[in-house]
């Protein structure tokens, strides 16, 4: 088997075996269950998955879903923990197969906070709620209009 190029013509890299690639596969699977026409999307996403996970990905994907007890694919989209567990199983299978690309190192990643510090989802949701409340309050309470030449106090 020949190794496919890892770089695209414009210098960009092919997507790797990450949560975004997995979710693209899941969204395509969900679309295939509806009457939406997905011929071109199917070709693009399956080619992307072949390059990211290796040529055995479809069998491994089914095994990973079954091992995690996923019967409704929407759980993979809705719950990060389920998606990460399925992805971990796919990457384990990639490590076992010599013909697949090596999965990326899981030592480093992109995070909003330095290692060991996490604001967590609860604090993020509180911040969003506060912003929504302040926006709602600003929309409801009238403000004095600015008048040219009048100075603000304070």
């Amino acid at each position: 088997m020949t190794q496919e190029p890892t770089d695209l013509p414009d210098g960009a890299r092919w997507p790797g075996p990450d949560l975004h690639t997995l979710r693209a596969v899941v969204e395509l699977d969900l679309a295939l269950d509806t009457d939406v026409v997905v011929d071109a999307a199917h070709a693009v996403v399956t080619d992307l998955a072949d390059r990211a996970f290796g040529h055995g990905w479809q069998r491994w994907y089914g095994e990973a879903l079954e091992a995690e007890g996923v019967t409704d694919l929407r759980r993979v989209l809705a719950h990060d923990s389920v998606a990460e567990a399925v992805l971990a199983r796919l990457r384990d299978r990639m490590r076992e197969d010599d013909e697949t690309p090596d999965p990326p190192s899981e030592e480093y990643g992109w995070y909003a906070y330095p290692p060991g510090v996490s604001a967590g989802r609860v604090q993020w949701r509180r911040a969003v709620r506060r912003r929504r409340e302040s926006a709602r309050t600003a929309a409801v309470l009238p403000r004095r209009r600015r008048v040219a030449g009048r100075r603000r106090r304070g």
Side-chain angles (χ1 to χ4, degrees):
M1 178 181 351
T2 61
Q3 181 70 20
E4 296 181 20
T6 57
D7 290 332
L8 295 172
D10 62 355
R13 307 261 317 155
W14 280 97
D18 58 8
L19 284 175
H20 301 294
T21 307
L22 174 64
R23 286 189 169 131
V25 170
V26 171
E27 287 179 356
L28 177 65
D29 280 349
L30 288 170
L32 289 173
D33 291 338
T34 65
D35 52 352
V36 174
V37 178
V38 290
D39 294 338
H42 187 269
V44 170
V45 173
T46 53
D47 186 43
L48 176 129
D50 278 347
R51 290 176 183 264
F53 295 112
H55 293 291
W57 74 269
Q58 291 176 328
R59 184 179 70 250
W60 304 336
Y61 170 63
E63 291 171 358
L65 291 173
E66 186 177 326
E68 292 300 320
V70 176
T71 55
D72 184 4
L73 290 175
R74 290 176 291 195
R75 282 188 54 217
V76 178
L77 296 176
H79 303 286
D80 288 343
S81 60
V82 175
E84 288 169 357
V86 170
L87 181 62
R89 289 185 183 276
L90 282 169
R91 287 181 173 172
D92 287 343
R93 291 303 301 264
M94 288 175 69
R95 286 184 191 92
E96 295 172 5
D97 191 342
D98 294 334
E99 293 183 9
T100 61
D102 291 331
S105 170
E106 296 175 22
E107 184 177 356
Y108 300 107
W110 291 100
Y111 302 99
Y113 300 94
V117 177
S118 174
R121 289 187 180 268
V122 174
Q123 289 181 354
W124 183 78
R125 286 183 181 141
R126 280 187 203 141
V128 169
R129 191 176 318 121
R130 280 193 301 265
R131 282 194 174 168
R132 284 183 184 156
E133 288 171 3
S134 65
R136 194 176 307 125
T137 302
V140 172
L141 294 179
R143 287 188 171 180
R144 289 184 9 191
R145 292 187 180 179
R146 288 187 174 185
V147 177
R150 186 182 289 173
R151 289 187 160 185
R152 283 186 171 182
R153 292 184 183 177

